[in-house]
Amino acid sequence: MSPAGRIRGKLRWSNIYSFACLHPNVQEGSLHPIGGPGFSRVVYCNQPRMHQKKPLKYPSNYISTTKYNIITFLPKAIFEQFRRVANIYFLVAAILSLTPIAPFSAVSMIAPLAFVVGLSMAKEALEDWRRFMQDMKVNSRKVCIHKGDGSFGYKPWQKIQVGNVVKVEKDQFFPADLLLLSSGHEDGICYVETMNLDGETNLKVKRSLEVTLSLDEDLAFKDFSGIITCEDPNPNLYTFVGNLEYDRQVYALDPSQILLRDSKLRNTAYVYGVVIFTGHDSKVMQNSTRSPSKRSQIERKMDYIIYFLFTLLMLISLMSSIGFAVMTQFDMPKAWYLQPSITTNLYDPSRPMFSGIFHLVTALILFGYLIPISLYVSIELVKVLQAMFINQDLHMYDEETGIPADARTSNLNEELGQVDTILSDKTGTLTCNQMDFLKCSIAGVSYGVCSSEVEIAAANQMAFNLDEENSELSGAPMHNSSIQDPWDNNRIHTVGSGIELETVVTSKGENVKGFSFEDSRLMDGNWLKEPNADVILLFFRILVICHTAIPEPNEKTGSFNYESESPDEGAFLVAAREFGFEFCRRTQTSVFVRERYTSAHPVEREFKVLNLLEFNSKRKRMSVIVQDEDGQILLLCKGADSIIFDRLAKNGRAFVEDTNRHLNEYGEAGLRTLALAFRKLEEPEYSAWNNEFLQAKTTIGSDREVMLEHVSDMMERDLILVGATAVEDKLQKGVPQCIDKLAQAGLKIWVLTGDKMETAINIGYACSLLRQGMKQISIITMNTELLAEDAKKAVRGDVLMQITNASQMIKLEKNPHAAFALVIDGQTLAYALEDDIKHQFLSLAVDCASVICCRVSPKQKALVTRLVKEGTGKTTLAIGDGANDVGMIQEADIGVGISGVEGMQAVMASDFSIAQFRFLERLLVVHGHWCYKRIAQMICYFFYKNIAFGLTLFYFEAYTGFSGQPVYDDWYMLLFNVILTSLPVISLGVFEQDVSPEVCLQFPALYQQGPRNLFFDWYRIFGWMANGLYSSLVIFFLNINIFNDQAFRAGGQTSDMAAIGTTMFTCIIWAVNCQIALTMSHFTWIQHFFVWGSIFTWYIFLFLYGMVPPIISGSAFKILVEALAPTPIYWIVTLLVTITSNLPYLIHISFQRSFKPMDHHIIQEIKYYRKDKEDRHMWRRELSKARQETKIGFTVRVDAKIRQLRDKLQKKYSSLGVQNVITAS
């Protein structure tokens, strides 16, 4: 064990903690009644072989997040494929192609279907294989397991069984749900980080039973045995009921002895535990759901289009069959050349109804080109290529970790462009759990000159705006033509008039981690020269004493690292050290501080810790009672300012007004604040209180915590205010900018976190989901302790009333700029999600600018996500990094996992993974926007070209007496979708860009084209279908009318069916490829090659196919060389038809761009004419209109700060004006 570990091992924290640790010895009367329904699990400790047979055989510790396995892949994957209605149609058509009634060969129908379905299944298998490999990484982690006779060895997680004794070492994850037996600390406590489960960064204290403390080394388990009877597997993270039978005694167990899978051991050298729940029985896996099969909105809408086209297909097939029946009955007997006397059921003049029915099937197959089978395989291919581009985007590559973006499934690419609501975890997703001490207020004086990110950005933007206004007034161009970044920390903030706007100081050089404070008045002992040096000394001592951290020597720096329960404490200790007060040692009863400036030479002082009243979300404060070297007893307290101010003595409020003003300023700057206070205690007063405290501490029963709280409250009164701290919660890089851009793109952002309300609110301020002036609506449950059996009904009624009142308040609000934020905790959320309340809750939440749900369980995260998804009917995206986020990631339409350092559970369950939250901006605003438009345009074009092609078959069939005769050669029809028109549409789906990625980010409002579904609404879909109908009419009737009576060859011969069919097919190839060229906004050599190359390929094929012997090529033998190419009318008709069929679309887009341009049309024109370089004023004006109106985000906050700075500037101008008047007079 390390020296630090031995130091920690000697500390008996159970003597210090008041609320979390000390549990009196359990008496027999308090044992849990076990054995009924829901409490039937029996675990034989250290005897895993007992659990290899029923009824005690439990699931293994192997976990799987895959959609398929070897047995289920084939049936489930086939079911997934034939959920697509088009595939069902083609399956039926393929079966019918084996019969004589088919107009085509069986191969031409079966091969495309097998190819499409097979390719899609292969893609599914590949994506699921990736999930399987990530599962194996987790299942193959090693942990130390007791093998027998006191010997431990390493085994993979998946080999763990119920009953195994495992040894988990510091900074390792727990492999299963364990009962804590002992730890590296002498009194059996350990620290657990549950960020993966509930999002909280504060370490939790767990403590083993007193009776198992002796099991603190490997050999102690040689003869260990016991029986645990407990609750059955369930998803409740915060409850556990069970008993341990050990050494002929029975002891009650509770959640404080349970170590949950995927939480991490911290600040403790090792623990021993016995496995209770494994694999999918563990509580974290109970909170997860099976990997769902997700389909995008566009894909679901495609089903309805297929239904429409199938209806159209049935209609024209019915018309054809009726026409054929009529022709069979009345015209067939007259057609002597058809030998009507030799008949079959396919054409029997005596039974025309049967002939019509058989012809119906023939027509259904013949006109099947209306429903494009290649559409699905083209979409699959395009999505895979889009996913490759997402994976290879260097702008979403995290250089620090070396992790790129990963599109784990390509089925939902276009869904990225239609997101309406983002539901985000907090810890590890928005924050990086690093606090920086930035400012403080001591004795009513504010210290710290460095500016927060909010202040820097506001000042930069204000200076830029003023520069812009001055340049416009003077008519001179701005010196720097580039768009200024408000996050640039290196700008000089002055105005041309010489009046300084506001001093913004950024840190100089490299800072100490956790300490970004700069102010010479407090540094290097200069605080001794301040007027209130005694108060400053007390302030520093509160920072360095009031905590539960443990120092660990750092051999490299010669200083100490601090392992604390929360990042705030770590920042305070680092700050105290920089101020000259270094926390260097802790014993069972004392804290030792090395003070640099309080005497002539550095001195180490001892403060005896008498009591510690730890922080919790209900108390919102922490206190420590110490005795200094002079024997003076002090209560040192830190907590939320509202709590501390309420507890101040009359003579302790001297600095309240100034401190409160500073707290408001710190809050506006996005900083987290705490107030610090103290109280001097006399020995008799403390002794009397301590007797009451010890009595409450050792009380047995449910009243213990209430009594402890009451006694603590008595002591934490009559405080004297010392000052306040302001720390900057270090969000992950780029989080405020990302949220700001997403808000400007019109996205709503909800935060769902297991963290306490205060922390969540502070993060809300830090990332600008909340801001000063925003009206907060807090929905909390009423106190239920005094209520009887009707408590639940009363609480539900209270929650409903709060929701109703809040909704009414929003409706009555007349200020259009008013913004509301909804904050609700998990306990209240449980009622708000009930069937009779959830719709009112959702309505309220949607009306609010931002929503923060705190203390929510993983199950509640999933339920909230489902409510938003189903209640609004709009696309939801959930993003998180821990196992506690798996439920909501799987429940949302799109799940995004953060591939951070805290395990890979979220990534394994996600559809897309990124390394940092900031990459979500580019994933949605750039790739999402592009993918949506590409897929939408691609599908619309597919239906256009297939209708244009398919309807010509119907026209010709009607023209030839409904004979079922196709006008085109079989090979033409087979190659139409596979080669001749497939590559251009694939290039459209992969490379099309309406605007560049830089413009996407500059004009975030463009993203709203996706959520508003502007490119795949029914108006646009039917418009493209009408375009296909028009093109089919032009192609068919122009060709038929021109070729009908015209001499075709030099010898005067008219054209035959092969010549007309080939010419008509040439016109189709030209028309549809020219159409896609008009559709594209962005051309590369690839698009040019595919579009014009497809046309060229047609002529190459026609030439080569004509060279094949007639037994194969049939009537197409040398048709290009001998019949078509030498004939001018062939080329004239091709040109005429191509122009005529594309003319309406050309007129439409010309009119739209001229009179009703869309946003991207305007930007394209500005870029084309280089107005963004030549006319900066117009470009800035367009940029100002480029964001959706929003009430959250950094820009909104900066605007508010700018208004405040403008007021200050106006006051300066007015004061200067007054002085000038006085001087003149």
Side-chain angles (χ1 to χ4, degrees):
M1 194 188 301
S2 66
R6 287 195 293 271
I7 292 171
R8 289 197 303 270
K10 295 176 183 177
L11 298 178
R12 296 186 65 84
W13 281 102
S14 55
N15 294 337
I16 299 176
Y17 280 104
S18 305
F19 298 93
C21 253
L22 185 66
H23 293 281
N25 290 328
V26 178
Q27 296 181 354
E28 194 171 340
S30 61
L31 296 177
H32 300 301
I34 303 291
F39 301 93
S40 62
R41 196 175 189 88
V42 179
V43 177
Y44 288 88
C45 304
N46 210 20
Q47 301 176 68
R49 292 184 179 179
M50 296 287 291
H51 300 288
Q52 293 179 357
K53 296 181 181 179
K54 293 183 178 181
L56 299 178
K57 187 176 182 179
Y58 302 123
S60 71
N61 205 41
Y62 177 88
I63 60 114
S64 173
T65 61
T66 59
K67 292 168 63 175
Y68 311 106
N69 59 39
I70 294 176
I71 298 173
T72 63
F73 173 72
L74 205 57
K76 286 183 70 174
I78 290 175
F79 171 76
E80 286 293 323
Q81 294 306 311
F82 288 100
R83 285 172 65 183
R84 296 168 171 172
V85 292
N87 284 353
I88 296 176
Y89 163 74
F90 286 111
L91 176 63
V92 174
I95 294 171
L96 292 174
S97 68
L98 299 170
T99 66
I101 59 176
F104 311 126
S105 63
V107 175
S108 65
M109 296 300 296
I110 296 173
L113 177 66
F115 177 73
V116 169
V117 171
L119 192 66
S120 298
M121 289 175 63
K123 185 180 78 73
E124 285 283 312
L126 178 62
E127 290 176 349
D128 215 47
W129 176 258
R130 291 175 182 166
R131 296 189 190 98
F132 170 75
M133 294 305 295
Q134 288 180 324
D135 286 343
M136 290 306 297
K137 286 183 181 179
V138 174
N139 291 321
S140 300
R141 287 177 179 171
K142 297 294 178 64
V143 68
C144 202
I145 300 178
H146 183 229
K147 295 182 175 180
D149 295 326
S151 172
F152 280 74
Y154 285 94
K155 283 187 178 181
W157 280 21
Q158 63 186 15
K159 297 292 185 182
I160 293 175
Q161 293 179 294
V162 171
N164 274 133
V165 173
V166 300
K167 181 180 182 180
V168 180
E169 296 173 337
K170 180 184 173 185
D171 293 331
Q172 288 184 346
F173 290 101
F174 298 116
D177 291 352
L178 311 177
L179 169 66
L180 175 62
L181 298 175
S182 63
S183 77
H185 292 287
E186 189 176 297
D187 52 355
I189 75 150
C190 69
Y191 293 93
V192 176
E193 182 184 271
T194 60
M195 189 166 68
N196 253 351
L197 305 180
D198 57 18
E200 288 207 31
T201 54
N202 289 0
L203 302 184
K204 310 295 189 304
V205 182
K206 302 286 185 177
R207 186 193 179 198
S208 67
L209 294 174
E210 296 278 350
V211 70
T212 60
L213 288 179
S214 59
L215 302 170
D216 58 353
E217 60 180 355
D218 293 359
L219 290 174
F221 291 94
K222 182 177 181 181
D223 300 314
F224 167 68
S225 65
I227 300 175
I228 299 171
T229 52
C230 64
E231 64 187 22
D232 293 334
N234 64 75
N236 299 321
L237 294 175
Y238 307 110
T239 62
F240 181 82
V241 177
N243 294 329
L244 170 65
E245 185 180 336
Y246 176 64
D247 201 16
R248 299 182 181 180
Q249 296 289 327
V250 181
Y251 305 90
L253 304 175
D254 61 39
S256 65
Q257 286 105 35
I258 303 302
L259 307 173
L260 300 181
R261 179 185 174 117
D262 288 330
S263 51
K264 182 188 280 188
L265 182 66
R266 299 295 298 271
N267 294 9
T268 309
Y270 61 87
V271 297
Y272 290 100
V274 63
V275 177
I276 301 175
F277 299 118
T278 50
H280 290 275
D281 279 354
S282 61
K283 289 185 179 287
V284 66
M285 295 305 294
Q286 287 280 308
N287 273 280
S288 67
T289 56
R290 289 188 175 275
S291 298
S293 297
K294 298 181 179 180
R295 302 180 71 205
S296 68
Q297 284 189 21
I298 285 183
E299 189 174 346
R300 290 194 294 268
K301 196 168 189 176
M302 272 174 56
D303 285 346
Y304 292 103
I305 301 173
I306 297 295
Y307 292 146
F308 172 79
L309 290 178
F310 188 75
T311 303
L312 178 63
L313 172 63
M314 286 295 298
L315 182 63
I316 63 175
S317 298
L318 192 61
M319 291 169 59
S320 176
S321 65
I322 293 171
F324 182 76
V326 171
M327 295 290 289
T328 301
Q329 183 174 7
F330 296 107
D331 290 350
M332 180 76 72
K334 303 175 186 176
W336 55 268
Y337 53 88
L338 293 178
Q339 296 182 340
S341 58
I342 305 174
T343 62
T344 66
N345 288 330
L346 297 181
Y347 43 90
D348 186 353
S350 63
R351 293 192 294 178
M353 183 179 294
F354 283 98
S355 299
I357 292 172
F358 284 119
H359 187 79
L360 175 64
V361 178
T362 301
L364 286 172
I365 299 174
L366 177 64
F367 306 142
Y369 283 91
L370 286 173
I371 302 174
I373 187 172
S374 60
L375 170 61
Y376 286 112
V377 72
S378 298
I379 289 176
E380 295 284 358
L381 182 59
V382 163
K383 287 183 176 182
V384 168
L385 293 173
Q386 288 176 348
M388 287 175 56
F389 282 121
I390 291 173
N391 297 346
Q392 294 172 8
D393 189 342
L394 293 177
H395 292 92
M396 294 195 293
Y397 174 78
D398 186 34
E399 294 184 357
E400 293 182 9
T401 60
I403 298 174
D406 182 18
R408 289 169 46 81
T409 177
S410 57
N411 291 342
L412 304 172
N413 294 351
E414 69 273 25
E415 202 85 330
L416 290 172
Q418 294 187 279
V419 176
D420 177 78
T421 304
I422 296 173
L423 301 106
S424 173
D425 176 42
K426 180 192 74 67
T427 309
T429 302
L430 301 179
T431 62
C432 54
N433 308 319
Q434 179 189 335
M435 305 293 177
D436 267 11
F437 191 95
L438 198 65
K439 299 185 180 188
C440 61
S441 172
I442 310 174
V445 179
S446 181
Y447 297 95
V449 296
C450 282
S451 303
S452 69
E453 289 181 343
V454 171
E455 293 173 307
I456 293 170
N460 280 339
Q461 187 66 46
M462 180 65 178
F464 174 64
N465 289 350
L466 288 174
D467 288 343
E468 183 181 324
E469 289 177 9
N470 289 340
S471 67
E472 289 177 7
L473 289 173
S474 62
M478 294 178 66
H479 296 295
N480 186 0
S481 63
S482 63
I483 300 299
Q484 297 291 344
D485 181 6
W487 297 89
D488 182 3
N489 295 351
N490 300 314
R491 299 190 59 214
I492 301 173
H493 309 295
T494 57
V495 188
S497 62
I499 298 175
E500 186 179 13
L501 172 61
E502 178 160 291
T503 303
V504 175
V505 180
T506 57
S507 59
K508 302 170 184 176
E510 292 190 9
N511 294 322
V512 177
K513 185 178 180 180
F515 187 75
S516 299
F517 180 91
E518 286 188 18
D519 194 328
S520 59
R521 292 175 293 173
L522 294 187
M523 302 302 293
D524 302 321
N526 292 335
W527 59 269
L528 291 166
K529 304 172 186 176
E530 290 292 294
N532 291 301
D534 56 334
V535 182
I536 296 174
L537 172 63
L538 193 55
F539 179 89
F540 291 152
R541 283 183 172 168
I542 294 175
L543 288 185
V544 79
I545 295 171
C546 189
H547 59 81
T548 58
I550 300 168
E552 286 195 342
N554 187 323
E555 296 177 0
K556 293 182 179 179
T557 63
S559 183
F560 294 90
N561 295 334
Y562 301 112
E563 298 203 8
S564 57
E565 290 189 28
S566 69
D568 302 72
E569 283 191 351
F572 291 154
L573 289 171
V574 170
R577 182 182 67 200
E578 296 301 310
F579 289 133
F581 294 77
E582 185 173 39
F583 170 49
C584 57
R585 191 155 53 97
R586 184 190 286 279
T587 66
Q588 186 62 47
T589 58
S590 299
V591 167
F592 293 84
V593 179
R594 195 174 293 152
E595 298 184 355
R596 236 181 300 169
Y597 305 113
T598 53
S599 58
H601 302 284
V603 61
E604 187 175 289
R605 301 191 188 279
E606 177 185 3
F607 296 87
K608 293 182 179 179
V609 180
L610 304 179
N611 301 92
L612 189 147
L613 311 176
E614 67 262 30
F615 183 95
N616 61 42
S617 56
K618 185 178 180 182
R619 285 166 41 76
K620 301 182 183 178
R621 64 190 182 278
M622 173 192 175
S623 299
V624 61
I625 301 175
V626 297
Q627 188 173 35
D628 63 17
E629 293 177 334
D630 298 328
Q632 176 64 58
I633 300 175
L634 297 169
L635 178 136
L636 309 178
C637 184
K638 64 182 181 186
D641 54 271
S642 58
I643 300 296
I644 299 298
F645 286 0
D646 288 342
R647 297 171 184 279
L648 296 178
K650 289 183 179 179
N651 62 342
R653 309 180 68 87
F655 313 125
V656 167
E657 187 176 343
D658 291 331
T659 304
N660 198 40
R661 186 179 71 255
H662 296 153
L663 285 168
N664 289 333
E665 291 173 358
Y666 300 157
E668 289 174 0
L671 304 177
R672 296 175 58 158
T673 58
L674 284 178
L676 274 56
F678 82 105
R679 176 184 175 186
K680 290 184 177 180
L681 301 173
E682 300 298 329
E683 180 70 37
E685 180 187 9
Y686 169 73
S687 298
W689 175 85
N690 194 40
N691 289 333
E692 287 189 53
F693 187 71
L694 288 174
Q695 183 179 354
K697 204 173 181 182
T698 54
T699 298
I700 299 172
S702 58
D703 294 336
R704 176 177 175 272
E705 289 194 14
V706 176
M707 293 177 65
L708 273 172
E709 178 59 43
H710 175 68
V711 177
S712 301
D713 187 65
M714 290 169 51
M715 175 56 70
E716 294 167 324
R717 293 281 178 183
D718 299 325
L719 304 177
I720 298 173
L721 182 65
V722 176
T725 60
V727 297
E728 188 169 27
D729 190 352
K730 280 298 178 185
L731 298 167
Q732 285 195 13
K733 182 181 177 182
V735 164
Q737 301 96 310
C738 176
I739 288 178
D740 186 48
K741 194 71 72 175
L742 294 174
Q744 291 178 29
L747 294 164
K748 304 177 185 70
I749 302 172
W750 293 29
V751 174
L752 311 179
T753 176
D755 222 335
K756 54 184 178 289
M757 185 175 290
E758 298 75 28
T759 307
I761 289 174
N762 285 329
I763 294 298
Y765 277 107
C767 59
S768 299
L769 288 173
L770 303 176
R771 56 183 169 82
Q772 298 294 323
M774 182 178 275
K775 299 178 182 178
Q776 284 188 33
I777 300 171
S778 296
I779 309 293
I780 54 175
T781 52
M782 60 189 290
N783 187 357
T784 60
E785 293 178 4
L786 302 177
L787 298 174
E789 55 189 32
D790 291 335
K792 193 172 182 180
K793 185 177 180 181
V795 173
R796 187 189 296 111
D798 180 62
V799 171
L800 181 58
M801 184 177 69
Q802 291 185 62
I803 292 173
T804 304
N805 291 342
S807 299
Q808 193 66 23
M809 180 177 68
I810 294 176
K811 288 178 182 177
L812 296 176
E813 179 60 53
K814 296 181 179 179
N815 182 4
H817 301 293
F820 295 87
L822 176 63
V823 182
I824 187 170
D825 66 4
Q827 186 179 356
T828 311
L829 193 61
Y831 295 100
L833 292 175
E834 292 184 0
D835 289 340
D836 54 342
I837 301 180
K838 64 181 181 182
H839 295 296
Q840 291 96 315
F841 166 69
L842 179 63
S843 177
L844 170 63
V846 169
D847 288 339
C848 292
S850 59
V851 180
I852 297 178
C853 302
C854 338
R855 302 296 295 174
V856 293
S857 68
K859 206 79 169 180
Q860 286 179 318
K861 287 186 177 184
L863 290 173
V864 170
T865 305
R866 182 183 302 171
L867 175 64
V868 178
K869 179 177 71 174
E870 295 177 353
T872 63
K874 297 178 180 177
T875 304
T876 57
L877 180 147
I879 180 169
D881 75 319
N884 61 319
D885 304 315
V886 168
M888 72 172 183
I889 284 173
Q890 292 181 332
E891 185 63 50
D893 294 299
I894 306 169
V896 178
I898 303 288
S899 50
V901 297
E902 298 301 330
M904 295 290 288
Q905 291 83 355
V907 170
M908 289 190 296
S910 67
D911 305 304
F912 299 87
S913 71
I914 50 179
Q916 295 271 324
F917 182 88
R918 60 192 166 97
F919 297 138
L920 187 64
E921 173 189 348
R922 188 172 181 89
L923 183 66
L924 297 183
V925 177
V926 177
H927 289 285
H929 173 71
W930 283 349
C931 288
Y932 162 73
K933 292 191 71 172
R934 289 166 176 172
I935 295 294
Q937 288 180 312
M938 176 183 171
I939 294 171
C940 288
Y941 171 77
F942 239 106
F943 288 126
Y944 151 79
K945 75 180 181 68
N946 276 68
I947 287 174
F949 174 61
L951 286 180
T952 57
L953 290 168
F954 171 68
Y955 303 149
F956 185 78
E957 204 232 11
Y959 194 77
T960 56
F962 300 102
S963 61
Q965 173 66 49
V967 66
Y968 309 119
D969 186 277
D970 281 4
W971 279 99
Y972 297 178
M973 293 189 285
L974 188 62
L975 295 179
F976 176 74
N977 281 319
V978 176
I979 293 177
L980 300 177
T981 61
S982 60
L983 294 180
V985 76
I986 288 173
S987 70
L988 172 73
V990 176
F991 299 107
E992 171 67 358
Q993 296 179 14
D994 56 344
V995 291
S996 67
E998 295 76 21
V999 171
C1000 282
L1001 296 172
Q1002 288 176 328
F1003 291 81
L1006 280 175
Y1007 182 81
Q1008 277 301 303
Q1009 292 179 339
R1012 289 160 59 192
N1013 205 18
L1014 295 183
F1015 288 87
F1016 204 64
D1017 57 1
W1018 287 111
Y1019 172 80
R1020 189 171 291 264
I1021 292 167
F1022 284 125
W1024 274 99
M1025 289 183 178
N1027 190 20
L1029 173 63
Y1030 166 80
S1031 297
S1032 69
L1033 291 169
V1034 168
I1035 292 167
F1036 180 79
F1037 286 104
L1038 274 181
N1039 274 279
I1040 287 294
N1041 286 314
I1042 291 173
F1043 281 98
N1044 192 33
D1045 300 319
Q1046 292 281 351
F1048 181 67
R1049 298 193 179 187
Q1053 300 97 329
T1054 57
S1055 58
D1056 59 2
M1057 187 180 77
I1060 291 180
T1062 305
T1063 306
M1064 199 181 299
F1065 197 83
T1066 303
C1067 293
I1068 290 173
I1069 297 300
W1070 270 97
V1072 298
N1073 280 293
C1074 288
Q1075 173 68 71
I1076 202 169
L1078 290 172
T1079 304
M1080 291 178 179
S1081 302
H1082 174 74
F1083 274 94
T1084 65
W1085 68 267
I1086 299 175
Q1087 280 108 313
H1088 282 296
F1089 179 76
F1090 282 171
V1091 172
W1092 313 121
S1094 294
I1095 297 174
F1096 183 70
T1097 301
W1098 160 241
Y1099 288 110
I1100 295 295
F1101 165 77
L1102 197 55
F1103 172 78
L1104 295 176
Y1105 186 52
M1107 294 296 106
V1108 177
I1111 194 171
I1112 296 175
S1113 60
S1115 58
F1117 181 68
K1118 293 190 176 182
I1119 191 168
L1120 178 65
V1121 177
E1122 295 184 357
L1124 299 180
T1127 311
I1129 195 171
Y1130 169 73
W1131 303 105
I1132 294 170
V1133 167
T1134 301
L1135 180 63
L1136 177 64
V1137 170
T1138 302
I1139 294 173
T1140 307
S1141 60
N1142 284 288
L1143 193 59
Y1145 180 81
L1146 193 61
I1147 294 171
H1148 163 72
I1149 59 173
S1150 300
F1151 176 83
Q1152 186 182 45
R1153 285 179 177 271
S1154 300
F1155 299 103
K1156 293 185 178 181
M1158 300 180 75
D1159 293 338
H1160 65 283
H1161 292 152
I1162 298 171
I1163 298 168
Q1164 287 171 351
E1165 191 170 334
I1166 291 173
K1167 283 287 187 179
Y1168 181 80
Y1169 290 108
R1170 299 181 58 83
K1171 292 292 185 180
D1172 56 320
K1173 305 293 184 185
E1174 299 171 4
D1175 190 344
R1176 301 295 298 170
H1177 175 68
M1178 182 186 73
W1179 181 244
R1180 285 194 297 274
R1181 185 188 68 221
E1182 292 301 322
L1183 281 175
S1184 68
K1185 298 187 293 184
R1187 66 191 195 197
Q1188 288 290 114
E1189 185 177 346
T1190 180
K1191 296 176 181 177
I1192 62 169
F1194 200 86
T1195 301
V1196 176
R1197 194 169 189 170
V1198 168
D1199 289 343
K1201 186 72 176 177
I1202 288 173
R1203 286 192 294 271
Q1204 185 183 23
L1205 295 177
R1206 284 186 187 277
D1207 292 340
K1208 289 183 180 180
L1209 196 61
Q1210 286 177 356
K1211 290 178 181 178
K1212 288 182 180 179
Y1213 274 118
S1214 59
S1215 62
L1216 284 174
V1218 171
Q1219 291 176 7
N1220 291 336
V1221 170
I1222 294 173
T1223 304
S1225 61

